[in-house]
Amino acid sequence: MNLTTMPPIFQFVNRALLALLLCLLPVWSMGQSFTLEQYGGRANDSTHDNGPALVKMLDALKRANQSGQAVKVNLGSGDYHIWDTHLPTHEIFISNHDHVDQRAVAFWLDGLKGVTIQGVNTKLLFHGRLIPFVLSNCEDVTVCGVSVDYLRPALTQITIKEVSDDVVRAEVLEESKWRVDKDRFVLECEGFDVVPNSCMPFSADGHMKWNRADISFKPSKVARADDGSILLYGWSEREHLKPQDVYVLRTYARPTPGVVISDSRRVTLRDVAIHYAEGMGCLAQNSDDLTLDHFSVKLPDGSPRHFTTQADATHFSGCRGYIRSTDGIYENMADDAINVHGTYLRVDSILDARHLRVTFAHGQTFGIGWYRENDEVALIDRHTLKPLFTSKVADYREVSKKESIVVLERPLPENIIADLVPLAIENLSAYPTVDFGYNVVRNNRARGSLFSTRQKVLCHHNLFDHTHGSAILLCGDANGWYESGPCEHIVISDNHFVNALTAMYQFTHAVISIDPEIRQKENGFSYHKRIVIKDNTFTTFPSPLYYAESVEELIIKNNRVIPTNDYLPIFENTDSRIIH
């Protein structure tokens, strides 16, 4: 019996044992080893800043690695506190995040080959606004057996206690520090303040509230009661509140993801948990062959928190080779569990038949690696998303972090030069295959999984439990997010969808929503190619199961529906729709 034919419980046990054994490979097999304690680090001391020891250790590690040695960091079990005060800062361009001129980085791993960072139930506890891990221009790097958390997150939550005509009384999460400043709620983080303006609403059962998406948090007045609770006056959400509801207070800022993987190859994150990040849990860009094995974005054990990351749990922009994400838990994040896509660059001008001026058009994505030698590109009509012309690239010249000149090997036809059609350019070579399997996605805002890649995708044996929007979205957009990638072959099989789509978000027309952003339809053209949806179970209240637009071949078979009455429909028409 092989692993794929075992019953699910045995598959899980075997996967867990394999992950444990891989994490516990003997030190002697990895060459030179390092510990934080060698450089003055100390575990289980909440007053000790391990930042200086970490900087010294990584400097020694890099010197050893550059001499040709495989190296290993052994982090002991326990808590390691790290402040941003003594960490190096770097200007890093990160896809789908707010740009910051200089960001502190704890584990700055640059240009390393054959490195393992191994913990054993190691808790990395961060103070301030920093990025825990950056892997840049690395090869064959593994991070294993660690968790990431912050003592004073930039998110907090309130639990509703009393609701009257005049005021709402609530309790603020005990770990948070806050004050009232000019009738506003101000969350005091370590070294900076945050004024929340939006909410993620949860019912007392721990699921996000029915039909309540992206709630504004702008009460006319805020006060602190004598018992320490918060008093909210003139809050527009008052009529929807019930005692014991929990509202996560947040902004839309994304300055510091948990893990950044950039311009790297063969990176593995194994048995890693991100409990909080003021951005995405893991952001990978322009990288090849990535493995997430028992990687999770999840709540800390025993924590009263209802939030994890400020945005997606995992996000892959312009990656290649393969992405394997298996046996993970993704919960309570403020966006999707996984998003895989390329990037359309907007064509601002055609300088001549072979020279194009192009721009990163979305405000949170620029300065990242987009082109490699011998890449093939396509020009597309931004209104129809239809490819008009393909060519290899002869040269790619960066004018600024947002603008570049693309030199094509083949000249453009006269009709494309003469037409006033808005154009974008797509890198046909910058797409990965994806295996997303045996994961749990639950109680998160927005959507579950987004796939936009021309390579094969397997989305299988996952539990999508109360995703607030669609469980799966297949999109493509050359006008807003500029996230590229028609799905040429995707198989969605053996998943269990439980009460997905209890609120409406962008592109969420059904539990599985296939919704490219096509502004002008063209007869005979389909953006997505072959999509197979089979052997899935939908445990759901009345809701559309499928919405499909602009798909060449859509196969739906052997899916099972278990009706529930857990929620009222949010759609007037709950039928599935297929639009060619």
Side-chain angles (χ1 to χ4, degrees), residues 471-510:
I472 295 176
L473 170 62
L474 311 180
C475 193
D477 173 17
N479 295 283
W481 291 102
Y482 287 86
E483 294 182 0
S484 69
C487 294
E488 297 199 349
H489 188 186
I490 178 169
V491 178
I492 301 168
S493 68
D494 300 286
N495 301 287
H496 189 187
F497 304 97
V498 179
N499 286 335
L501 195 53
T502 50
M504 292 292 294
Y505 294 89
Q506 190 180 26
F507 311 119
T508 54
H509 300 295

Side-chain angles (χ1 to χ4, degrees), residues 343 345 358-362 365-368 370 396 401-403:
T343 299
L345 302 184
V358 301
T359 299
F360 284 104
H362 189 270
T365 299
F366 57 92
I368 64 174
W370 187 85
Y396 182 83
K401 293 300 181 181
K402 291 191 175 183
E403 293 188 359

Side-chain angles (χ1 to χ4, degrees), residues 97 155 253-258 276-282 308-313:
H97 280 75
L155 278 69
R254 302 176 174 187
T256 49
Y276 168 77
E278 196 183 3
M280 297 176 181
C282 174
T308 52
T309 54
Q310 178 73 299
D312 299 357

Side-chain angles (χ1 to χ4, degrees), residues 19 33 57 91 141 147 188 386 390 491 506:
S33 63
M57 182 193 72
E91 184 177 28
V141 172
S147 66
E188 298 177 348
K386 181 179 179 180
T390 62
V491 178
Q506 190 180 26

